[in-house]
Amino acid sequence: MAKEAIRIPVGVVLDLNSSVGAIAESCMTMALSDFYAKHAHYRTRLDLRTRDSADDIVTAASEASYMMKKEKVQAIIGPQRSAEAKFVVELGRKAKVPIISFSATSPSLSPSRSPFFVRTAFDDSAQVKAIAAIIEAYSWLEVVLVYEDTDYGNDLIPYLVDAIQEVGARVPYRSVIPPSSNDAEILRELGRLKSTSIRIFLLHMTASLGSKFFILANKAGMMSEGYAWIVTEGLSTFLDPVNSTTMDSMEGVLGVRPYIPMTKDLEDFQSRWKQLNKMTAGLNLFGLWAYDTVWALAMAVEKVGTTSSSSMKHNTSRVINLASLETSNMGKNLLETIPSSKFQSLSGNFQLVKGQLEPSTFEIFNVIGNKERIIGYWIDQQKGLSRQLKYDNSEAEKSDVNRRLKQTIWPGDTTHQPATKKLRIGVPKKDGFHEFLKMDNKNISGFAADVFFAALAKLPFPLPHDFLSFNGTYDDVLCQIKAGKYDAVVGDTTIVANRSLYVDFTLPYSESGVSMVVLVENNERDNIWIFLKPLSLDLWLTTGAAFVFTGIVIWALEHRVNSEFRGPPQQQLGVILSFTFSTLVFAHREKVVNNWSRLVLIIWVFVVLILTQSYTASLASMLTVQRLQPVFTDIREIKRNGYNIGYQKNSFIKGFLMDNIGFEESKLKAYVTIEEYNQALSKGTNNGGVAAIFDEIPYLKLFIAKNCSKYTMVGPTYKTDGFGFAFPRGSPLVSYMSRAILNVTQDKSKMDSIEEKYFGNQTICDDQSAKISSDGRSLHVYSFGGLFIIAGVVSTFSLLMYMYHFLRSQWPTLRTTIHSENSFRRKMVELAKHFDKKDLTSHPFTRRTSRVHAMDTPDETAIGGLHDANDMQNNSAVENNIDVNENE
């Protein structure tokens, strides 16, 4: 006779009036029957004791406590909701009774923090990566979270926000819907959502509240074209139970839910379930998890056995004292056994990891009519989204969402992807410089507008927008972003530090810098003194001094040895000046015989050659090339003289001039157009105009391009970051637009075509600017300093060496002829007299004397007579002539 199986009491706490509770109870009954039909030889049997929580936390806790005390349950399946489970888990911890839940999916309930809690379902946070992947795939930048005000709704929000921010999007607004809200309250909240201009919504609600919400959202016109809705697992697993009216209202909704492989066992179970149950609601995922939970618990009970099945004391009292719970020895053994259960269940592979069901693949579906269409799968965090369940590595490299997900039907029965929002873009109103920006009938044009449109074309997603004109300063229009009036500002807006305190800028799309433009003077080709212009005054004076010094050195070196450098003082002074100045044209007549003189002369001729060539080139340039001279070259000179300066109206330049350079406000004049710039500069500061225009380089280049020969850009360039587009602080659009602008600006042909369209060809003006010098046109002494130093050193060295040899040769004579008691002055006078005498020992004079002695020598073979007398007279005459010349 077969031994009777031991019945193990197990409590079940469900909200039997809800669709989830009713379906779960039915599935658990079928699970119990199927399990023991298959395992009829088991010695244990689960005895399910079901209690109704009535959707109340206190009731759920009371029923669980009563079953622990009175009915000696060894485990409890449930309760259904996370808020109820938090209390019941605490009771289970005290009584050492495992609390096994297939529907309490809140992340705040963690088996690692509650050791007697086991979750045979996915943690809600397991789905957030899949949801974030969808947001990233469609390049949505802002998402509004809509969730119910319960533990189930609130606990997942931090996980969702973190995941959304990780993919570069943000959550600017959250909408919390209390479960008790009536239709009017929900409609009011929908009206607020509609006014935010954001069109992407993520809904996290249970089926009961979510169904009502979508019907009202459709009524509010928020299920039309341009909107996108994503629902979390909590609602997507209940789409079968909702009625047809709700499904019609959810046209185009995207949903995420765990992927359940359709096996033969699941098909058979679904068929049997429909035959046994006449519910209007269909089978859902929680029903399958309830079925699997019973199987896992039945296996664990069989392994643990019956040794501690009757360890809890019997108490027949209906008065429950929550503080006096008895403990169960079997519960601890069950808690150790259940996590090791592994089997192929109806919902897939049943395996618990860290006390809860291990997450698997999620499927992405699209509601179309009354049906759902699977458009892709989220495999895992590394592989991401895929059109097919079998992952293809090539899909990870494809950025196009249609390559990773199938075509989606959006609300309004359209395939056009909804954008994050329709941007309200502020555009500064400009009365001048329309080449940069012009607005006409809500349409913009100009350089800044074309760059913006080119960047939009580079974005991986659509960006609908409306342009709104703003009449005011650039700082004021940027403040409207902070105030929430605009979502962006497009225009020729300069990136400066103080503005970045309340907005974020994209990368600049224009060159940067602030400088000034001044009037230029005509050339001086008709000036009769233009021949003096090539050299500056200091160079003229230095050159003249060098000429005189070199002449003196040459005279000193040649005076005692060269008769051409001897004579009366007036003649010798003329020789000094004429010799060196004649080297300008290399026409010096006097020959030099001293080697030191030759060295000095070689260096000096080289210096003269360089000077004359430089002078000739500079003068030729002045006479043949038109030169324009700026009236002012330094802004400090304008400030020092108290002149007026102009700037562009509504720009930041006014504050820059006052704060950074120190101009008084009374000296600053605002102008709007290029024509006003021209008139102000032409008048000059003494006639009601200005001395200079201070503005950003792109504006100044355009102004000069239209007035090439009249103005030039001078002075230092003050650093700015150029023009950029502005967005709210932290906007994810900044990074997308910056990358798009970088692609546009690096496309040289594209940028050249935009610049040519609005600014024309500036090559002629660039050539003209080369003719303008702001630093003067004369050559300065500094440029030739090296030459003068070399010539001076060589001349001085030669003169010192010559004087050293002269003193050395004359000092013995002076010492014998002048006694020691004579004065130093007397010695210097005698030394000067010796220096003025010719040096008969030098080579030139020695050569002459040799020629005279040759003529004095008689022919030894000649004999007296007339010829001898004539020869003696001739020789005497020659000698007398030589003596006269030498005395001179």
Side-chain angles (χ1 to χ4, degrees), residues 510-552:
S510 72
E511 61 181 318
S512 61
V514 174
S515 189
M516 71 174 181
V517 162
V518 297
L519 193 67
V520 294
E521 298 174 324
N522 269 333
N523 61 43
E524 298 181 353
R525 286 187 294 182
D526 298 331
N527 189 346
I528 62 175
W529 301 104
I530 193 173
F531 70 92
L532 296 176
K533 292 290 185 180
L535 304 184
S536 63
L537 178 61
D538 57 353
L539 185 55
W540 277 119
L541 295 176
T542 304
T543 304
F547 271 107
V548 175
F549 176 73
T550 304
I552 293 173

Side-chain angles (χ1 to χ4, degrees), residues 427-450 453 467 469 474 490-492 758:
V427 179
K429 184 179 179 182
K430 293 179 72 72
D431 296 323
F433 290 95
H434 289 153
E435 291 84 355
F436 287 93
L437 185 66
K438 181 180 180 181
M439 186 169 184
D440 186 19
N441 295 328
K442 292 191 176 182
N443 293 318
I444 62 173
S445 60
F447 175 73
D450 281 16
F453 292 136
F467 293 117
S469 178
Y474 281 70
V490 169
D492 46 348
Y758 294 104

Side-chain angles (χ1 to χ4, degrees), residues 296-590:
L297 183 58
M299 291 178 180
V301 166
E302 181 66 20
K303 290 180 181 179
V304 170
T306 62
T307 56
S308 56
S309 60
S310 302
S311 61
M312 297 187 70
K313 296 180 180 179
H314 184 73
N315 187 346
T316 59
S317 174
R318 282 294 293 178
V319 179
I320 306 301
N321 184 1
L322 299 181
S324 59
L325 293 175
E326 301 293 338
T327 61
S328 168
N329 293 329
M330 186 179 190
K332 186 175 181 181
N333 295 330
L334 284 176
L335 194 64
E336 295 174 353
T337 307
I338 293 175
S340 62
S341 301
K342 296 181 182 179
F343 58 95
Q344 193 63 33
S345 65
L346 291 182
S347 61
N349 184 32
F350 186 93
Q351 181 178 359
L352 300 182
V353 176
K354 295 182 179 180
Q356 60 188 5
L357 195 63
E358 184 179 25
S360 61
T361 301
F362 285 85
E363 61 183 12
I364 317 300
F365 65 88
N366 182 206
V367 177
I368 303 175
N370 289 324
K371 296 183 179 179
E372 309 149 24
R373 174 172 170 261
I374 305 301
I375 61 173
Y377 301 89
W378 185 81
I379 310 299
D380 54 37
Q381 189 170 355
Q382 181 179 2
K383 297 177 181 178
L385 296 174
S386 173
R387 292 165 62 102
Q388 304 295 332
L389 187 59
K390 184 179 180 181
Y391 180 73
D392 184 358
N393 287 325
S394 63
E395 293 187 14
E397 303 174 359
K398 299 174 182 177
S399 59
D400 185 0
V401 64
N402 290 325
R403 303 291 181 87
R404 292 184 286 168
L405 294 175
K406 298 177 182 178
Q407 181 63 60
T408 304
I409 304 298
W410 301 102
D413 194 21
T414 179
T415 58
H416 291 80
Q417 177 186 329
T420 300
K421 63 191 297 186
K422 194 169 188 178
L423 295 184
R424 300 161 298 175
I425 298 179
V427 179
K429 184 179 179 182
K430 293 179 72 72
D431 296 323
F433 290 95
H434 289 153
E435 291 84 355
F436 287 93
L437 185 66
K438 181 180 180 181
M439 186 169 184
D440 186 19
N441 295 328
K442 292 191 176 182
N443 293 318
I444 62 173
S445 60
F447 175 73
D450 281 16
V451 173
F452 176 72
F453 292 136
L456 286 186
K458 299 288 185 179
L459 293 177
F461 50 84
L463 193 65
H465 53 269
D466 286 329
F467 293 117
L468 305 172
S469 178
F470 182 85
N471 188 10
T473 67
Y474 281 70
D475 288 335
D476 290 341
V477 71
L478 292 175
C479 287
Q480 301 305 309
I481 295 179
K482 183 179 181 181
K485 182 177 179 181
Y486 297 144
D487 300 310
V489 168
V490 169
D492 46 348
T493 311
T494 306
I495 304 171
V496 291
N498 64 322
R499 292 174 175 175
S500 64
L501 297 176
Y502 47 91
V503 296
D504 281 347
F505 286 99
T506 62
L507 288 176
Y509 60 86
S510 72
E511 61 181 318
S512 61
V514 174
S515 189
M516 71 174 181
V517 162
V518 297
L519 193 67
V520 294
E521 298 174 324
N522 269 333
N523 61 43
E524 298 181 353
R525 286 187 294 182
D526 298 331
N527 189 346
I528 62 175
W529 301 104
I530 193 173
F531 70 92
L532 296 176
K533 292 290 185 180
L535 304 184
S536 63
L537 178 61
D538 57 353
L539 185 55
W540 277 119
L541 295 176
T542 304
T543 304
F547 271 107
V548 175
F549 176 73
T550 304
I552 293 173
V553 171
I554 294 293
W555 174 84
L557 296 174
E558 294 290 323
H559 179 66
R560 301 186 72 243
V561 298
N562 192 339
S563 60
E564 294 185 6
F565 287 85
R566 300 182 64 83
Q570 298 84 353
Q571 181 181 352
Q572 293 184 57
L573 180 60
V575 169
I576 290 174
L577 297 176
S578 65
F579 178 81
T580 53
F581 281 98
S582 63
T583 57
L584 281 171
V585 291
F586 308 102
H588 47 286
R589 181 176 58 84
E590 296 81 4

Side-chain angles (χ1 to χ4, degrees), residues 37 57 60 62-63 68 108 178 276 288 660 810:
I57 296 175
S62 177
E63 293 293 346
M68 291 177 191
S108 63
L276 295 175
L288 299 181
N660 294 75
Q810 297 299 323

